[in-house]
Amino acid sequence: MQVARIAVIGIALGSGLLAAMLAVRMASRPPEVVVQSEVVEAPRMETLDVLVLRRDVAIGTVISAADLAWQPWPKGEETDSYVVKSRHATAIEDLAGSVARSAFLAGEPVRESRLMKAERGFMSVILAPGMRAVGVEVHVTGSAGGFILPGDHVDMLLTHATQPRPGAPPGGNTFVTETVLTNIKVLAVDQQISEQKGEASMIPKSSVTLEVSPRQAEQVAAAQQAGTIALSLRALRDGEVSEVRNNDQPSTVQVVRFGQISRVTAR
């Protein structure tokens, strides 16, 4: 029994001695050097100041200086049509008072080609070069039910009486409808020059202003004397479909007045 106790005591002393030696060795070991990686800053993007709109602007809006602001823009991402501060530092003062020829969104870069000084009437400002604005009285219930809005494209339809067939009873006139013009842009509906945001035009309209060529203006004038005009609304994606129609050729329409039939030609 005494031998076993001596063995246990020896093992305990040996373990303690080994632990002490390990502790001394670890305490005498030099501390590890922590190498910190160098922090590399991300390259800074070069920018330039581009003129933008602070708010949404509808067509026909007079732009004020408060509507314009300089905004940093990635260098190399701008186009020649953008107004850059380094090239036009006084742009805000110079462009204040201009009229928007098309709609802008807030934050959209300003393009001078889409602005024009309102030195004359507004309609002459938004007209494309070489085009004419012509107002027509339309058949309200037959013109897309009042849903035609400024900026839409339409076809112009003319309904007029035809010459009675031989042997037809008196008063038995028949009517025909023909397409006079196609893909015509609507500039205004009555006195409304832009679509009301978030609202559909449900109010019946009686007059529409169209953007046409000089030859088409003559055709519109002749059509208004020949019968009833209605407008057919075109789909937005019709612009993707190639449609060629020579509207510059002389147009002839039939006019019926007091029972007398005549032809009117727009040259």
Side-chain angles (χ1 to χ4, degrees):
M1 179 67 68
Q2 190 174 1
V3 175
R5 288 181 179 179
I6 294 173
V8 170
I9 293 172
I11 293 173
L13 291 174
S15 299
L17 181 61
L18 180 61
M21 293 176 62
L22 290 176
V24 171
R25 180 175 297 181
M26 292 182 64
S28 62
R29 182 182 300 177
E32 295 183 1
V33 178
V34 178
V35 180
Q36 295 183 350
S37 59
E38 184 180 355
V39 178
V40 180
E41 293 185 3
R44 294 183 178 181
M45 180 182 297
E46 285 191 78
T47 61
L48 44 76
D49 290 332
V50 169
L51 193 65
V52 300
L53 269 301
R54 292 179 179 268
R55 62 184 180 92
D56 293 348
V57 171
I59 182 173
T61 302
V62 178
I63 306 296
S64 67
D67 296 327
L68 303 170
W70 295 110
Q71 178 174 300
W73 201 266
K75 191 173 183 179
E77 298 297 326
E78 79 282 1
T79 67
D80 293 338
S81 62
Y82 289 2
V83 180
V84 181
K85 190 174 184 179
S86 60
R87 298 195 297 260
H88 193 174
T90 60
I92 293 181
E93 294 76 12
D94 295 343
L95 296 179
S98 300
V99 176
R101 296 183 60 182
S102 59
F104 286 90
L105 297 178
E108 181 179 353
V110 173
R111 295 173 176 82
E112 290 192 62
S113 60
R114 294 168 60 184
L115 299 176
M116 184 171 290
K117 285 293 184 180
E119 298 173 352
R120 295 187 293 175
F122 168 74
M123 191 59 67
S124 62
V125 172
I126 66 173
L127 269 175
M131 302 299 282
R132 305 290 186 268
V134 175
V136 297
E137 293 184 1
V138 296
H139 188 237
V140 178
T141 57
S143 296
F147 279 96
I148 294 176
L149 296 170
D152 287 337
H153 284 72
V154 297
D155 294 343
M156 178 183 289
L157 308 179
L158 171 65
T159 301
H160 57 89
T162 61
Q163 186 174 3
R165 297 179 181 179
N173 291 342
T174 58
F175 294 85
V176 295
T177 299
E178 57 181 313
T179 301
V180 180
L181 299 174
T182 62
N183 202 21
I184 302 300
K185 181 180 179 180
V186 177
L187 296 176
V189 179
D190 284 346
Q191 300 300 314
Q192 182 181 340
I193 60 175
S194 63
E195 179 181 353
Q196 298 298 322
K197 190 173 183 179
E199 298 179 0
S201 176
M202 292 295 293
I203 303 175
K205 309 298 182 181
S206 59
S207 65
V208 175
T209 303
L210 306 174
E211 183 179 65
V212 295
S213 68
R215 186 76 69 185
Q216 291 171 335
E218 297 173 357
Q219 293 175 285
V220 172
Q224 291 189 91
Q225 298 298 318
T228 302
I229 292 177
L231 301 178
S232 175
L233 180 63
R234 297 177 67 97
L236 180 63
R237 298 186 61 184
D238 273 2
E240 302 175 5
V241 181
S242 176
E243 180 177 355
V244 178
R245 182 182 178 92
N246 188 358
N247 290 321
D248 286 342
Q249 295 297 323
S251 174
T252 302
V253 295
Q254 182 172 269
V255 179
V256 180
R257 291 181 179 174
F258 307 108
Q260 300 294 323
I261 301 175
S262 60
R263 306 291 295 184
V264 178
T265 302
R267 299 185 178 276

